[in-house]
Amino acid sequence: MSDSPDPAPARNPWTWRVIVLAAVVVVAVVVWLVVRDDGGDGATAASPPPTATATQDASPDPSASPTTTGAAGCAETDEGTPEGADTHETVDVDGDGEADTAWLTGGADRRFGITTASGATFSVAVDSASPQRASAVVNVVAAGDDTAPIALVDTGREVLLFSAADCDLAATQNLAGAPYTFDKGFTGQGTGVGCTEVDGALHLAGLNATSADGSFTVERTFVDLDDGALAASNGEASTVAEGAGPDDPVVVTAQGTSCGELAVGEDGPVEPES
C-alpha cells in the first residue's frame, strides 16, 4: 500500500454544464434589468419629482358653484323710501336693468329721493320758497361723452336740476358754482324744460315761449352737461317755432317740464298734500 494521498475524484461533466448555464442566466437577467432602467437608449432615468403638498392656492373643486354678484347696481342701504312719500316707478338709474322708484315727501323738510331696485336709497332737500306742490321726473340724457341720469324737480316757479349718477343725488352746478335752475316765467329767462333727441340720445334744453298778438315764438337753449351731469352750461340757442298757437304742442311743451316722453305730474312723483 502506498503512502500517497488518493487523488480527488473527477468532476462530472454534467455538473460543469449546469454551473455554466446558471451563470449565463444570471448575466442575462442583469443585462435585461439595466436595459429596462435605461429606457433602451443608454440614458440614465431621472428620479420622479416629489409629490407636491396641497396649499390654499390649489385649484378649486370644479364641481363647486361660483359666487356671482350680478349686473351693476347701487349697494343696499339701511334707509328706504320714507313713509307717506308719493312714489312713482322711474327709469333705471344704476345700470342693473331694473326700474327704480322716485319719491317726494311734503312739509317743511320736503325731500326728493330715489330708491333703486337693488335696495339703495339716496335723497336731497327740495330747497324752494315756492308754496306750490313740487313734482319730479327722472330720465337719462347726454352728458359729456356719455349719458347720465338726471332729475328735474318742478316747484312751480323754477325747476331744480339734479345729477342722479353714481348712486347719489347732487345739485348740478352752473359756471358760477351755484345750482343750475330753469325759470318757469317768473324772471323772464324761460318758461319750461324739455329734452330733444339728437343722434340717439336725449339732450336737455331750456325752453322759452313768448307771445305777441296771440301767437307764440318758442326758443330752445341746449344745456351742455359734463360727465355725470354735475356741471352745466348754456349751449346752442335756436328758434324752433314762430307764429304758433297757444295749443300747439311745441308751445305746450315749452310751458311745462318734461324730458323726452316723460312729464312731471304724470310720469313722476308729486309732493303729498300737507
Side-chain angles (χ1 to χ4, degrees):
M1 178 176 294
S2 173
D3 293 333
S4 300
D6 294 335
R11 191 177 295 273
N12 192 313
W14 282 103
T15 301
W16 283 108
R17 292 173 182 172
V18 170
I19 293 173
V20 171
L21 180 62
V24 170
V25 170
V26 169
V27 171
V29 169
V30 170
V31 170
W32 177 79
L33 290 173
V34 170
V35 171
R36 187 189 65 172
D37 289 342
D38 287 348
D41 59 3
T44 304
S47 300
T51 302
T53 303
T55 67
Q56 292 182 347
D57 295 329
S59 299
D61 182 358
S63 64
S65 299
T67 301
T68 57
T69 57
C74 296
E76 185 176 0
T77 60
D78 293 334
E79 298 180 357
T81 304
E83 183 177 356
D86 185 60
T87 63
H88 200 289
E89 184 177 273
T90 191
V91 299
D92 174 24
V93 301
D94 60 350
D96 62 359
E98 301 289 338
D100 298 318
T101 301
W103 49 266
L104 271 167
T105 62
D109 298 323
R110 58 182 174 178
R111 298 185 70 83
F112 166 76
I114 295 175
T115 298
T116 67
S118 61
T121 294
F122 37 94
S123 65
V124 65
V126 179
D127 187 12
S128 174
S130 173
Q132 300 183 45
R133 295 165 61 195
S135 54
V137 68
V138 179
N139 214 334
V140 177
V141 301
D145 295 326
D146 203 347
T147 60
I150 61 160
L152 298 170
V153 179
D154 189 329
T155 67
R157 293 181 177 176
E158 60 188 357
V159 178
L160 310 179
L161 173 61
F162 298 99
S163 164
D166 299 325
C167 306
D168 192 18
L169 277 168
T172 302
Q173 304 294 301
N174 62 20
L175 294 178
Y180 188 101
T181 60
F182 297 91
D183 187 25
K184 288 294 298 285
F186 284 86
T187 64
Q189 299 301 311
T191 56
V193 186
C195 295
T196 301
E197 184 173 335
V198 179
D199 297 331
L202 291 175
H203 286 248
L204 184 64
L207 304 173
N208 191 28
T210 57
S211 174
D213 300 326
S215 62
F216 287 83
T217 297
V218 177
E219 295 179 337
R220 177 181 63 198
T221 302
F222 281 116
V223 178
D224 294 330
L225 299 171
D226 72 347
D227 293 339
L230 292 171
S233 60
N234 291 341
E236 180 184 355
S238 61
T239 299
V240 295
E242 291 181 309
D247 297 327
D248 191 304
V250 70
V251 176
V252 174
T253 298
Q255 294 175 331
T257 300
S258 62
C259 190
E261 297 181 352
L262 306 180
V264 297
E266 301 175 6
D267 304 297
V270 177
E271 179 183 345
E273 295 188 45
S274 301

